[in-house]
Amino acid sequence: MYTYGELLDDVNYLSRFGVETGCIGASKFGRLIPFVHIEGGGKPVLVTAGIHAREHVSSLFAVKQIYRFFSARHTSDVWWVPMVNPDGNALIADGAEAFGFEKNRLIALNGGSSNFSLWKANAAGVDLNTNFDAEWGKGKMNSRAAGSENYVGERPFSEPETIALAEFTQKIKPCLTLSYHAKGHEIYYEFGQSGEALERDRRIAEYAASLTGFSLINGTRGSAGGYKDWCVSALKIPSLTLELAPDEFSHPLPDCSVADDFEREPMLPEKLYAFMVENGYV
Ligand SMILES: [Zn+2]
């Protein structure tokens, strides 16, 4: 699996070659949450990954994309937050021992098991992709109890990771956000928008579907409180959730499960930005 330690090594390596890097903030247990910026022209595009701990292949995919942008010709201005949930990643990679006297509480939240390979939440047991202020708590799968997935937290933006990502997004003002998850080869873009915004967002999502070969999902499928949901409803910008890795793989996903996706379309943010320019959306 791609770990937080490997991400820090990659970010450090890129910064030594002059790439702008930094942190959007820190996780609940004090792990810095890195960003990487590959400069270009026009308005920024923001890419996030690794908000769900067990979907560490999404972070691997994002970092591979950063290296490709670094070495290939590109014109767009792209920011990546490749691992929004470093505590969750550390919990899977290093176990509950990495959290000191929280160890027993975490094992209890994990149903008594010390195998965290299917854990999605942060290390407080909050599913970060339900903690944004967008119909918070109204999702079909939402839970009111801390655990490995679906717990919405005590209130919208109760978690330092979601506050940091929301503040960073408001600071850089992207014209498009992409959120990498796994698995299933699906693209989500809807969250109550209508009229021209819905038409714009559907066309961008259709184009993303044609580039990736993923299925376009209309409607929300009962989602609420997600980062994409918040970008669409609060910021009024197109925002896609992309489920990488084909369905035939099972969780925990092996690194190779996103290899074909990367080969097929390594420059997705660049192409989507160009499409938005061509169509007058930016
Ligand atoms: Zn996910």
Side-chain angles (χ1 to χ4, degrees), residues 198-211:
L198 180 61
E199 170 70 12
R200 173 197 66 188
D201 297 359
R202 182 183 292 128
R203 288 199 60 219
I204 295 166
E206 278 169 356
Y207 184 57
S210 74
L211 292 169

Side-chain angles (χ1 to χ4, degrees), residues 191-235:
F191 194 71
Q193 66 273 59
S194 58
E196 284 181 14
L198 180 61
E199 170 70 12
R200 173 197 66 188
D201 297 359
R202 182 183 292 128
R203 288 199 60 219
I204 295 166
E206 278 169 356
Y207 184 57
S210 74
L211 292 169
T212 55
F214 295 1
S215 305
L216 187 67
I217 307 295
N218 294 304
T220 66
R221 295 262 175 101
S223 158
Y227 176 65
K228 174 268 281 171
D229 305 336
W230 178 74
C231 287
V232 168
S233 58
L235 306 184

Side-chain angles (χ1 to χ4, degrees), residues 159-197:
E159 303 309 294
E161 296 91 343
T162 52
I163 294 170
L165 182 55
E167 288 182 350
F168 185 70
T169 306
Q170 284 166 321
K171 192 173 105 185
I172 72 162
K173 298 184 170 50
C175 64
L176 168 71
T177 73
L178 305 179
S179 302
Y180 297 155
H181 289 251
K183 66 185 172 102
H185 278 182
E186 292 174 335
I187 298 178
Y188 296 82
Y189 66 96
E190 271 199 72
F191 194 71
Q193 66 273 59
S194 58
E196 284 181 14

Side-chain angles (χ1 to χ4, degrees), residues 81-92:
V81 182
M83 194 178 285
V84 177
N85 180 13
D87 288 348
N89 184 282
L91 186 55
I92 293 174

Side-chain angles (χ1 to χ4, degrees), residues 52 55 181-182:
H52 284 142
E55 298 163 20
H181 289 251

Side-chain angles (χ1 to χ4, degrees), residues 50-55 58 120 127 129 180-183 241-243 251:
I51 198 168
H52 284 142
R54 74 179 183 183
E55 298 163 20
S58 66
K120 290 173 75 177
D127 188 326
N129 209 38
Y180 297 155
H181 289 251
K183 66 185 172 102
T241 291
L242 293 112
E243 298 283 355
H251 289 292

